[in-house]
């Protein structure tokens, strides 16, 4: 199944959480928090403004982004957990 987000929504695939702390301590799965970093796998066309014009998206497919811990709606597609959220819920794009 293929998803295409509408308007200013993006579909995010969470990146794997770190399993070791900076000090080298291994973090068990039960204690690990959900990552707040992910990859954009699909993006809508943009936000429709009050005058009817479409403002293009600031992110594109393949961008690594940061988002709020409780942002978006979790969906499961073909056994893969994805997040659907508005572009305004994204905090930053990670530059390479």
């Amino acid at each position: 199944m293929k998803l295409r987000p509408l308007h200013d929504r993006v579909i995010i695939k969470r990146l794997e959480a770190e399993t070791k702390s900076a000090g080298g301590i291994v973090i068990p799965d039960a204690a690990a928090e959900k990552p707040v970093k992910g990859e954009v796998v699909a993006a809508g066309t943009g936000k429709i403004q009050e005058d009817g014009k479409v403002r293009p998206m600031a992110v594109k497919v393949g961008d690594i982004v940061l988002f709020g811990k409780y942002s978006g709606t979790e969906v499961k597609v073909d056994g893969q957990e994805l997040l659907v959220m508005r572009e305004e819920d994204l905090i930053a794009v990670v530059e390479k």
Side-chain angles (χ1 to χ4, degrees), residues 4-12 42-49 54-59 84-90:
R4 183 176 54 93
L6 299 176
H7 307 299
D8 65 335
R9 287 184 168 67
V10 293
I11 298 177
I12 307 285
T45 55
K47 184 170 178 107
I48 299 175
Q49 299 178 333
V54 176
R55 181 184 53 82
M57 299 286 278
V59 296
V84 179
M85 64 180 69
R86 290 188 178 272
E87 182 186 28
E88 63 194 29
D89 292 336
L90 300 176

Side-chain angles (χ1 to χ4, degrees), residues 15-48:
L15 296 179
E16 294 298 317
E18 295 291 324
T19 56
K20 273 191 178 181
S21 69
I25 299 171
V26 176
I27 302 169
D29 288 340
E33 293 184 8
K34 288 186 177 180
V36 293
K37 186 193 278 190
E39 179 182 358
V40 177
V41 294
T45 55
K47 184 170 178 107
I48 299 175

Side-chain angles (χ1 to χ4, degrees), residues 34-75:
K34 288 186 177 180
V36 293
K37 186 193 278 190
E39 179 182 358
V40 177
V41 294
T45 55
K47 184 170 178 107
I48 299 175
Q49 299 178 333
E50 290 181 17
D51 61 0
K53 294 181 182 175
V54 176
R55 181 184 53 82
M57 299 286 278
V59 296
K60 60 187 180 309
V61 174
D63 282 350
I64 304 297
V65 295
L66 301 177
F67 49 87
K69 190 182 283 190
Y70 302 107
S71 297
T73 302
E74 293 183 357
V75 294

